[in-house]
Amino acid sequence: MNTSFCYPDFHPNMENILSVKRELKENNISDSILLSNLDFAERFFRDHPLKEYSKLVVKGDYFCVQIGGDVTYVFTVTSEDSQTYVHVFILARNKRISIDANQFYYHSCQDEIKSCFTQAQEAVTDEDLTSLHIICNRFSVMYSTRYRGPRSTVETKCQLKLENITAESLLNKKVWLQKEKPTCHGLIACLDHLIIQYLTTPDAPKSNCSFIIHADKEVMRITTGEQDEREYFLLHNGKGFSMYPPAWK
């Protein structure tokens, strides 16, 4: 991969990213993945509180762009299977890993029961921890120190919470799903099935239940967060779906 497009004197803000993109087009760089990821990076850093202290690395199919020289925070934007990923590397200035909400800015966590930010805070209660990797859908943060010692990895589950389950609230979750997991067509199809059920069956449960959806090699749970919930399982095999139990309890 050619990494010759380096702009160490730029900060990765909106104006500079757009300027770099114009220059690439003027030089007939037609790497569509790179240009698309630069568009994503521009939106990501538009109001990001850490943009003045960061280095941005944007990868395409054939080229790579580096913007910024500060290595306090290194953001890498890549693509895989038509999805965009953001990886953040943070090198701690001392032995103690520090978790800050700004490091998770713009990220829409897939766990609404216990967020990746909360799980990161809980993980660093181990004072001897020297490396921590947080993985949450298409976003990850790697904290590292200059010391050797215990390492930990935290990977979130997809758990979406609804106070009351209605067709409208499920539709809102579908919008989130289309944005954050756009290639998970099976999950989206199962959610469409639930929305139709809530529009057409008057006895659909509004509370004290959860839906556990298996599709696209993923598991998604939609829950009201109550104890002793009634569980409904939906499975999509790539061609169609099934629900158990097939009718409301």
Side-chain angles (χ1 to χ4, degrees):
M1 179 179 288
N2 189 336
T3 58
S4 61
F5 297 103
C6 300
Y7 305 85
D9 297 328
F10 281 9
H11 291 300
N13 53 37
M14 179 181 69
E15 293 80 7
N16 288 334
I17 294 173
L18 291 176
S19 175
V20 168
K21 189 176 179 182
R22 283 195 299 271
E23 181 177 324
L24 293 176
K25 288 184 175 181
E26 289 171 357
N27 286 304
N28 296 318
I29 302 300
S30 57
D31 188 332
S32 60
I33 299 299
L34 176 65
L35 297 176
S36 176
N37 285 345
L38 280 168
D39 283 338
F40 177 91
E42 183 273 314
R43 295 190 299 272
F44 185 91
F45 275 100
R46 189 173 297 172
D47 300 305
H48 204 292
L50 301 177
K51 60 187 176 184
E52 301 300 319
Y53 316 100
S54 300
K55 177 180 179 179
L56 170 64
V57 179
V58 182
K59 296 182 179 181
D61 276 340
Y62 309 105
F63 300 96
C64 177
V65 168
Q66 299 182 34
I67 302 175
D70 197 322
V71 294
T72 305
Y73 304 97
V74 179
F75 290 81
T76 303
V77 178
T78 65
S79 287
E80 183 179 336
D81 297 328
S82 302
Q83 295 196 70
T84 305
Y85 291 78
V86 177
H87 307 280
V88 189
F89 178 79
I90 302 170
L91 181 62
R93 296 183 180 276
N94 48 48
K95 191 173 182 179
R96 180 75 173 168
I97 293 174
S98 179
I99 309 296
D100 188 280
N102 286 338
Q103 298 157 356
F104 294 77
Y105 185 86
Y106 196 81
H107 170 56
S108 180
C109 183
Q110 69 173 355
D111 193 335
E112 296 179 346
I113 305 299
K114 182 182 287 188
S115 70
C116 54
F117 173 63
T118 299
Q119 293 187 53
Q121 289 180 309
E122 291 178 353
V124 296
T125 56
D126 179 359
E127 295 184 359
D128 295 327
L129 198 66
T130 60
S131 178
L132 174 63
H133 192 192
I134 306 296
I135 304 170
C136 185
N137 195 25
R138 297 180 292 122
F139 179 81
S140 71
V141 187
M142 171 65 80
Y143 298 89
S144 183
T145 69
R146 301 181 187 276
Y147 302 88
R148 292 185 178 181
R151 300 168 178 263
S152 182
T153 298
V154 174
E155 187 164 3
T156 61
K157 299 177 181 179
C158 186
Q159 302 187 102
L160 306 181
K161 186 175 181 181
L162 291 174
E163 296 298 331
N164 294 291
I165 300 182
T166 63
E168 182 180 5
S169 64
L170 288 170
L171 182 59
N172 288 334
K173 296 307 178 186
K174 178 186 174 181
V175 171
W176 178 89
L177 192 61
Q178 289 174 319
K179 179 176 181 292
E180 299 299 329
K181 296 178 182 285
T183 61
C184 290
H185 304 296
L187 291 178
I188 295 170
C190 288
L191 212 49
D192 279 334
H193 174 74
L194 282 178
I195 292 170
I196 292 172
Q197 292 297 307
Y198 272 79
L199 287 172
T200 58
T201 56
D203 58 340
K206 303 296 190 298
S207 61
N208 197 35
C209 71
S210 64
F211 297 101
I212 301 171
I213 305 174
H214 295 252
D216 308 300
K217 299 181 180 180
E218 291 200 32
V219 178
M220 179 176 72
R221 182 179 178 218
I222 299 176
T223 175
T224 54
E226 300 164 278
Q227 293 183 344
D228 302 320
E229 290 180 325
R230 292 165 291 173
E231 291 185 336
Y232 297 88
F233 296 87
L234 286 86
L235 174 65
H236 194 281
N237 61 9
K239 297 180 180 179
F241 54 81
S242 58
M243 187 172 89
Y244 179 83
W248 307 123
K249 293 181 181 179

